[in-house]
């Protein structure tokens, strides 16, 4: 075939394909039902990162389904209080929720396993566990009894350890501290003498400002500065050892999820995974600048002392032993994560850790 006839055939083929797709598109769309769901978020609208994950899911689904699959997102408090979002998906008040499983740890501690446990996995290791290590399947086996299906829908990376009115120099200073802290971490820090309170994100600042609590952790520099904690509690500690890589999840009422056509289920899973990855990228992109600004405006950055970290690590292991004896679902998920954690931290000591450490040393030496 000479070049001219090839070009002619190619353009005829291209035109035919274009005409075909123009004809086929409405037919495909007609075969797809219109779905209108509501999603209860656990988060306030002011947080474009974590609340934004629900909006992003909605946009991605709408675009990919030609406007057929719609999810309307409601902020914490608009349909149900933030900490009740998961239960609203269980009982069918809404079809879906965007939340963190550990908010339900009081109902069943095994809920926390799909979110985060103190001193467990970093975000990198968590993604490997969720997508390649059976994490998603394990969590969904447990959630079945609550009529739920869940997929990861965000990660914050290692969190900060929160804002304190007074300096926390040693374990002694933790005793009697009234602190907003999320998830099973509450049961762990209770063993150190802290009085934990789980409060929804949008309600943390008023509690800290009024003095109902002495300290509060939320996520990290970008979100924390939006919530304004630096205005009332100047000491900013790290690391948030209870949230090394927390998974924010999309929870779906199981009956509603099962009613979806297979193509929509697949689309939903794909969009959830995109939101999951993008939320971490957003935090990683926004936190460095936010931290510089916080420190520039007077935040006092401190690391937790070794005695606090060690005592908390031991307390976490006590809690895990207690819960594993009481709750089969907790034990099963916890043990699966332990195996992953052991392998990950052995591996990470080689290339990952030495690369990052070398780069940080260059930075301290003024070479970056
Ligand atoms: C918290 O509730 O603490 C989160 O990290 C979302």
């Amino acid at each position: 075939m000479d070049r001219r006839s090839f070009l002619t055939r190619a353009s005829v083929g291209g035109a035919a394909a274009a005409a075909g797709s123009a004809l086929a598109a409405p037919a495909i769309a007609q075969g797809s039902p219109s779905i209108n769901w509501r999603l209860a978020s656990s988060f306030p609208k002011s947080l474009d990162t974590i609340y934004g994950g629900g909006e992003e899911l909605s946009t991605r689904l709408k675009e990919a389904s030609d406007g057929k699959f719609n999810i309307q997102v409601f902020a914490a408090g608009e349909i149900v209080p933030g900490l009740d979002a998961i239960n609203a998906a269980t009982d069918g008040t809404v079809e879906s929720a965007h939340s963190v499983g550990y908010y339900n740890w009081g109902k069943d501690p095994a809920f926390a396993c799909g979110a985060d446990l103190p001193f467990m996995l970093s975000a990198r290791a968590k993604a490997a566990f969720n997508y390649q290590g059976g994490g998603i399947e394990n969590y969904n086996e447990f959630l079945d009894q609550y009529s739920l299906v869940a997929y990861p829908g965000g990660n914050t990376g290692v969190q900060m350890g929160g804002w304190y009115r007074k300096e926390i120099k040693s374990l002694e200073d933790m005793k009697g501290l009234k602190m907003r802290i999320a998830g099973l971490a509450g049961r762990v820090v209770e063993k150190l003498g802290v009085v934990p309170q789980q409060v929804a994100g949008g309600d943390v600042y008023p509690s800290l400002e009024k003095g109902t609590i002495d300290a509060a952790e939320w996520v990290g520099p970008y979100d924390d500065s939006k919530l304004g904690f630096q205005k009332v509690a100047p000491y900013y500690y790290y690391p948030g050892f209870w949230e090394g890589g927390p998974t924010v999840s999309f929870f779906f009422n199981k009956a509603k999820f099962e009613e979806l056509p297979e193509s929509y289920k697949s689309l939903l899973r794909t969009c959830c995974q995109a939101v999951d990855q993008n939320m971490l990228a957003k935090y990683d992109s926004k936190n460095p600048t936010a931290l510089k600004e916080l420190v520039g405006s007077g935040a006092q950055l401190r690391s937790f002392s070794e005695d606090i970290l060690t005592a908390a690590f031991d307390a976490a292991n006590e809690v895990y032993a207690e819960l594993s004896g009481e709750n089969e679902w907790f034990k099963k998920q916890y043990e699966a994560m332990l195996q992953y954690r052991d392998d990950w931290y052995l591996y990470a000591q080689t290339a990952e850790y030495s690369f990052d450490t070398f780069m940080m040393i260059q930075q301290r030496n003024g070479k970056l």
Side-chain angles (χ1 to χ4, degrees), residues 45-317:
K45 261 195 189 127
S46 57
L47 299 179
D48 56 310
T49 42
I50 198 162
Y51 170 83
E55 296 277 12
E56 186 180 333
L57 179 73
S58 170
T59 304
R60 284 182 183 272
L61 280 173
K62 189 174 179 168
E63 285 174 1
S65 66
D66 280 330
K68 292 279 184 174
F69 194 167
N70 292 291
I71 296 189
Q72 194 180 354
V73 181
F74 293 87
E78 287 185 337
I79 299 180
V80 288
L83 299 182
D84 279 340
I86 301 172
N87 301 330
T90 289
D91 67 24
T93 303
V94 290
E95 293 81 4
S96 53
H98 192 217
S99 188
V100 199
Y102 54 43
Y103 290 152
N104 261 22
W105 78 272
K107 183 173 184 173
D108 187 330
F111 264 104
C113 297
D116 212 355
L117 301 178
F119 299 103
M120 195 46 73
L121 302 172
S122 65
R124 278 278 299 280
K126 180 61 91 58
F129 175 68
N130 277 340
Y131 294 107
Q132 301 294 326
I136 293 174
E137 291 77 10
N138 268 344
Y139 199 39
N140 277 321
E141 245 185 90
F142 155 69
L143 290 175
D144 190 56
Q145 63 196 289
Y146 294 100
S147 308
L148 292 169
V149 175
Y151 291 98
N155 199 300
T156 64
V158 188
Q159 296 197 358
M160 294 293 280
W163 297 85
Y164 299 74
R165 286 183 197 286
K166 295 194 187 129
E167 224 174 329
I168 304 294
K169 291 190 180 143
S170 70
L171 200 48
E172 207 40 44
D173 295 326
M174 299 288 273
K175 302 220 163 93
L177 197 74
K178 279 183 277 164
M179 179 174 179
R180 186 276 173 189
I181 188 165
L184 255 188
R187 184 154 160 180
V188 171
V189 296
E190 215 166 17
K191 287 185 183 277
L192 311 186
V194 172
V195 183
Q197 296 186 21
Q198 185 164 259
V199 177
D203 303 325
V204 183
Y205 180 81
S207 308
L208 195 59
E209 195 197 18
K210 272 190 242 144
T212 318
I213 51 175
D214 310 310
E217 65 82 30
W218 173 248
V219 168
Y222 181 74
D223 279 8
D224 292 3
S225 71
K226 284 202 156 199
L227 294 177
F229 303 141
Q230 70 279 9
K231 290 183 242 162
V232 282
Y235 294 99
Y236 197 23
Y237 277 83
Y238 62 88
F241 50 80
W242 49 93
E243 291 179 282
T247 299
V248 181
S249 299
F250 288 110
F251 293 87
F252 303 106
N253 176 278
K254 185 155 188 170
K256 290 289 170 189
F257 180 83
E258 290 306 341
E259 279 171 14
L260 293 175
E262 288 307 314
S263 59
Y264 279 18
K265 285 184 194 163
S266 171
L267 187 61
L268 191 56
R269 280 191 293 267
T270 303
C271 291
C272 288
Q273 188 164 353
V275 174
D276 188 32
Q277 186 178 11
N278 204 28
M279 189 186 291
L280 183 61
K282 273 194 203 165
Y283 276 116
D284 284 346
S285 151
K286 290 171 186 286
N287 277 334
T289 312
L291 184 60
K292 274 194 238 170
E293 286 171 2
L294 281 168
V295 171
S297 64
Q300 300 291 311
L301 200 55
R302 301 278 188 278
S303 62
F304 282 125
S305 60
E306 200 62 35
D307 69 331
I308 292 178
L309 291 172
T310 307
F313 185 78
D314 293 343
N317 287 335

Side-chain angles (χ1 to χ4, degrees), residues 32-56:
S32 309
S34 281
I35 301 284
N36 292 296
W37 278 6
R38 299 195 304 170
L39 179 146
S41 172
S42 283
F43 314 113
K45 261 195 189 127
S46 57
L47 299 179
D48 56 310
T49 42
I50 198 162
Y51 170 83
E55 296 277 12
E56 186 180 333

